[in-house]
Each structure stands twice: as structure tokens, then as C-alpha cells.
């Protein structure tokens, strides 16, 4: 068996988790200086979640026909990503039109993301052992400032983001780029992620794969620690 010399991680649901829809909506309301009754906030937040309007949270229960084609390629281009998620949000009536962009802008802030309890510990230990590490994400915006704000960027050797390359997981090309950035053959690289289809696509290239559960941070205290037992 080839010794693992590098580890690639997914972002959302693997290293960090997006905030709940209610706090997301409250933050956007505050940013846009819009008031809404508390009970209404709870109702609208639930509706936004059902619509799949919060990136990194649950997928839409139903994708509108007008957005169906764009949904499939949303992570290949920043404009597609914003158009899809603001479009999903617009299915839910909100008091001010600027709120839809305020919601999208909020989800790109460090405050909207919380690392899993063992994220920093596992990344730091891999770094200490001399293991090359990177991040591979299907995403439509630059997440590096979020990593930096949470003190995680120092442990990562590369970030390969789908929208910067016009390629999205599970396309093996995206994983190949990440392996090249690490300077490692795919057979020496482990991919860790919460999506067995998208992240598991790394196995087509010869990478190993370790799944984790996409759970709230308080329900997954040590989901990443098994990675430490798999590396050399």
C-alpha cells in the first residue's frame, strides 16, 4: 500500500460549516438595516432553507425550471453561482429587494462559517508531520479570506477552487490540479470530504478517499481525527 504523503480536504461540511439559516437571515437584515418581526424571521428563514438558497446548507427541495441548467454548472463561474443562489432566494418574499444580494454577501464572510471542533488540531498535526495539505472546493467565490480569518490558511499548501478553473468535482481534472500543486502522485494523496459522489471522484485518479458526515459542528466533534491514522 502506498504511503499517504498528502491530504486534500473539501471545504463546506468537511472543514467548516455554514451558519443556520435563521442567523444568516438576521445578519443580512442587520446589514441592510431592515426590520422584520421575530416570528416572521423564523418562517422566512425556514422557507429560504427549503428553497436551498443558503450555499453550503441543504440542497433545494425543488429547483425552478428557469434555474435548472445553471444549477448544474453553478460552481464553474462566480456569476453563475451568485445568479443561482440569489434566484433561489427570490422564491421567498422579503421586505426589501436588496436583501437577496445581502444574503449572498453574508455567506461569503468569515462570521458565517464555523470550523469543526477538530479542524485546526488535525490540520496543525498534519503540518507538524510534514504532510502536504490542500483544499479542493466546488465553490463560486474566494474562500481564502475565510480560512485566513479562522487561522487555518497557515496549514494549507494549496487551495484549488472550481470557479477559478471552470471545472467542478467530481471531474478528475480538478483533483489532478490539486495533486500537481502538492507535488505528489495521486496514489500518495488522500481526499477527505462529505460528498461521496463529488469528493469521491478523486478515486478515479487513484487517490484514496475518506468520507466524513456533514453535520452541525456540535454534533461532529472528532470527525476528522481518523485522518491522522491514515497518513504516514
Amino acid at each position: 500500500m502506498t504511503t499517504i504523503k498528502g491530504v486534500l480536504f473539501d471545504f463546506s461540511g468537511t472543514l467548516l460549516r455554514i451558519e443556520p439559516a435563521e442567523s444568516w437571515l438576521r445578519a443580512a437584515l442587520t446589514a441592510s438595516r431592515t426590520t422584520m418581526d421575530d416570528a416572521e424571521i423564523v418562517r422566512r428563514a425556514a422557507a429560504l432553507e427549503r428553497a436551498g438558497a443558503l450555499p453550503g446548507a441543504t440542497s433545494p427541495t425543488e429547483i425552478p425550471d428557469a434555474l435548472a441548467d445553471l444549477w448544474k454548472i453553478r460552481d464553474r463561474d462566480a456569476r453563475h453561482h451568485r445568479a443561482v443562489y440569489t434566484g433561489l432566494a427570490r422564491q421567498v418574499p422579503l421586505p426589501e429587494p436588496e436583501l437577496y444580494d445581502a444574503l449572498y454577501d453574508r455567506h461569503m464572510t468569515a462570521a458565517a462559517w464555523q470550523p469543526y471542533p477538530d479542524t485546526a488540531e488535525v490540520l496543525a498535526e498534519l503540518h507538524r508531520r510534514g504532510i502536504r495539505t490542500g483544499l479542493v472546493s466546488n465553490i463560486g467565490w474566494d474562500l481564502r479570506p475565510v480560512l485566513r480569518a479562522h487561522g487555518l490558511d497557515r496549514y494549507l499548501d494549496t487551495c484549488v477552487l472550481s470557479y477559478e478553473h471552470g471545472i467542478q468535482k467530481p471531474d478528475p481534472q480538478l483533483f489532478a490540479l490539486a495533486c500537481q500543486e502538492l507535488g505528489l502522485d495521486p496514489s500518495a494523496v488522500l481526499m477527505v470530504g462529505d460528498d461521496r459522489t463529488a469528493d469521491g471522484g478523486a478515486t478515479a485518479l487513484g487517490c484514496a478517499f475518506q468520507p466524513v458526515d456533514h453535520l452541525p459542528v456540535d454534533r461532529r466533534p472528532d470527525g476528522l481525527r481518523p485522518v491522522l491514522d491514515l497518513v504516514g
Side-chain angles (χ1 to χ4, degrees):
M1 182 178 175
T2 305
T3 300
I4 297 298
K5 298 178 180 178
V7 183
L8 295 170
F9 293 92
D10 174 51
F11 174 65
S12 174
T14 300
L15 292 181
L16 297 93
R17 166 90 178 201
I18 192 68
E19 67 186 326
E22 187 179 326
S23 64
W24 173 57
L25 177 55
R26 288 183 185 277
L29 289 166
T30 300
S32 63
R33 298 181 180 179
T34 306
T35 57
M36 190 186 291
D37 175 79
D38 260 11
E40 194 59 33
I41 290 174
V42 173
R43 285 193 292 272
R44 300 292 172 96
L48 286 164
E49 188 166 13
R50 286 193 300 274
L54 175 54
T58 55
S59 294
T61 53
E62 185 176 351
I63 301 170
D65 290 342
L67 296 175
D69 289 340
L70 209 53
W71 172 261
K72 296 173 187 174
I73 58 170
R74 66 193 181 281
D75 295 316
R76 297 183 197 172
D77 183 276
R79 293 165 300 175
H80 295 345
H81 198 269
R82 180 181 283 269
V84 163
Y85 283 103
T86 54
L88 290 169
R90 286 189 177 93
Q91 296 180 96
V92 180
L94 294 175
E96 298 294 339
E98 63 264 26
L99 273 169
Y100 300 106
D101 277 311
L103 284 168
Y104 188 85
D105 293 341
R106 164 67 184 183
H107 105 277
M108 296 188 290
T109 65
W113 294 90
Q114 185 177 359
Y116 282 94
D118 58 346
T119 293
E121 172 193 338
V122 169
L123 291 179
E125 177 59 18
L126 291 172
H127 183 74
R128 187 192 70 78
R129 294 186 192 181
I131 300 296
R132 300 278 288 169
T133 58
L135 185 147
V136 184
S137 179
N138 277 354
I139 200 163
W141 51 277
D142 186 1
L143 52 75
R144 295 176 186 88
V146 173
L147 295 172
R148 194 157 48 246
H150 287 289
L152 302 174
D153 62 313
R154 71 190 78 174
Y155 304 123
L156 295 168
D157 297 297
T158 187
C159 284
V160 176
L161 310 181
S162 61
Y163 84 101
E164 292 182 339
H165 301 280
I167 309 167
Q168 62 190 47
K169 298 181 288 188
D171 192 323
Q173 290 183 74
L174 202 64
F175 301 109
L177 285 168
C179 291
Q180 288 168 20
E181 291 283 336
L182 295 183
L184 295 171
D185 187 271
S187 64
V189 175
L190 172 69
M191 177 68 203
V192 182
D194 67 295
D195 189 322
R196 285 165 173 77
T197 299
D199 300 316
T203 59
L205 200 65
C207 298
F209 175 58
Q210 174 70 18
V212 294
D213 294 323
H214 189 155
L215 294 169
V217 290
D218 59 350
R219 290 176 51 200
R220 209 195 79 191
D222 53 8
L224 294 171
R225 288 200 182 100
V227 171
L228 298 176
D229 297 325
L230 300 173
V231 301

